[in-house]
Amino acid sequence: MGATKTEHFTDEQNAIAILAKAIGHPARVAILEYLLKVDTCICGDIVNELPLAQPTVSQHLKELKNAGLIKGNIEGNAICYCIDENVLSKLKSYFATISDNLEKKKNNCC
Amino acid sequence: MGATKTEHFTDEQNAIAILAKAIGHPARVAILEYLLKVDTCICGDIVNELPLAQPTVSQHLKELKNAGLIKGNIEGNAICYCIDENVLSKLKSYFATISDNLEKKKNNCC
DNA sequence: AATTATTATCGTAATATTGCAATATAATAT
DNA sequence: ATATTATATTGCAATATTACGATAATAATT
């Protein structure tokens, strides 16, 4: 035991969980925010921005890519990473829906 | 090694990461969605809704509570859990900001 | 061809998460 | 008081994550 029982949940639940899990580390939040900040997305310097060793950063980038949050293009020598707009738009509407529904209900029982 | 280097990131980055991490498991996504669905929030039956044993569900609830996503009130014998509106509103605006900024930039380099 | 720069992968240690059986706790009901 | 119901905690095994040094892979530069 110890492995997540993915098969018992809906595809949407798993999809949201995968995205949230990928964001669930401050280094990856920092990477996303950095990618958002810089105009161009030539991103070799993410390593310099973060207080982590290069292999660690590379691993975090890989996880963000696996989750679908970022895309990477080979740019000659380096690699150009950037956020996938569509996925973030999906997260935006997911949390908007939940928050708006809560607002509507206002069952302040807790 | 192996522990997250929390101290190197900003408070906001850590806060978002903690929330996202808590949502980063399909069982906890399912719990949130269930809490959203039911009108009242007397929630002992979450265990029946999920394909997991009672201690496992209790643990997931604890993690959601630790992250601040849900609140719990003792309701006589049982416990009444419900989502913290404020925290979800915070997530809503965080992802809305990112998504809207991306939309504005439209630097489709990847 | 050798060097340099950039990113990825491997291997591994430390730590965290997941899941559950067994047990404990707390409130209600009998 | 005892049984019942609802939830939490403990302890533990299986698995996953985090971090990094060492090394590999790839492409540009000299």
Side-chain angles (χ1 to χ4, degrees):
Chain A
M1 281 136 235
T4 295
K5 292 187 151 184
T6 310
E7 67 279 10
H8 294 305
F9 301 97
T10 71
D11 287 353
E12 219 230 345
Q13 284 165 348
N14 282 311
I16 291 294
I18 285 171
L19 293 177
K21 189 175 185 178
I23 303 173
H25 190 289
R28 296 194 290 265
V29 173
I31 289 172
L32 289 176
E33 290 180 357
Y34 180 74
L35 287 177
L36 187 68
K37 192 181 73 181
V38 290
D39 294 336
T40 116
C41 65
I42 299 121
C43 306
D45 26 35
I46 295 177
V47 173
N48 301 320
E49 281 289 311
L50 295 187
L52 295 169
Q54 180 269 323
T56 308
V57 173
S58 182
Q59 197 176 266
H60 282 306
L61 285 167
K62 192 180 173 187
E63 270 162 71
L64 285 170
K65 200 158 75 174
N66 284 343
L69 279 157
I70 64 174
K71 294 177 287 187
N73 268 356
I74 292 160
E75 191 93 346
N77 199 5
I79 280 190
C80 158
Y81 279 115
C82 63
I83 300 178
D84 186 324
E85 273 183 48
N86 297 326
V87 177
L88 256 105
S89 157
K90 187 177 162 185
L91 281 171
K92 169 188 170 177
S93 63
Y94 183 77
F95 288 111
T97 303
I98 292 189
S99 183
D100 294 349
N101 275 3
L102 284 171
E103 194 66 30
K104 233 176 286 171
K105 292 203 169 180
K106 276 288 182 204
N107 53 335
N108 29 350
C109 58
C110 290
Chain B
M1 282 136 234
T4 295
K5 294 187 152 185
T6 311
E7 67 278 10
H8 294 305
F9 302 97
T10 70
D11 287 353
E12 218 229 346
Q13 285 165 348
N14 283 311
I16 291 294
I18 284 171
L19 293 178
K21 188 175 186 181
I23 303 173
H25 190 291
R28 296 194 290 265
V29 173
I31 290 172
L32 289 176
E33 290 181 357
Y34 180 74
L35 287 177
L36 188 67
K37 193 181 72 179
V38 291
D39 293 337
T40 115
C41 66
I42 298 122
C43 306
D45 25 37
I46 295 177
V47 174
N48 300 320
E49 281 288 310
L50 295 186
L52 295 169
Q54 179 268 324
T56 309
V57 173
S58 181
Q59 196 177 267
H60 282 307
L61 285 167
K62 192 179 173 185
E63 269 162 72
L64 286 170
K65 200 159 74 175
N66 284 343
L69 280 157
I70 63 175
K71 294 176 286 187
N73 268 356
I74 293 160
E75 190 95 343
N77 199 5
I79 280 190
C80 157
Y81 278 115
C82 64
I83 301 178
D84 187 325
E85 274 183 48
N86 297 326
V87 176
L88 255 106
S89 158
K90 186 177 163 185
L91 281 171
K92 170 188 170 178
S93 64
Y94 182 78
F95 288 111
T97 302
I98 292 189
S99 183
D100 294 350
N101 275 3
L102 284 170
E103 194 65 29
K104 232 176 288 172
K105 291 202 167 180
K106 276 288 181 204
N107 53 337
N108 29 352
C109 58
C110 290

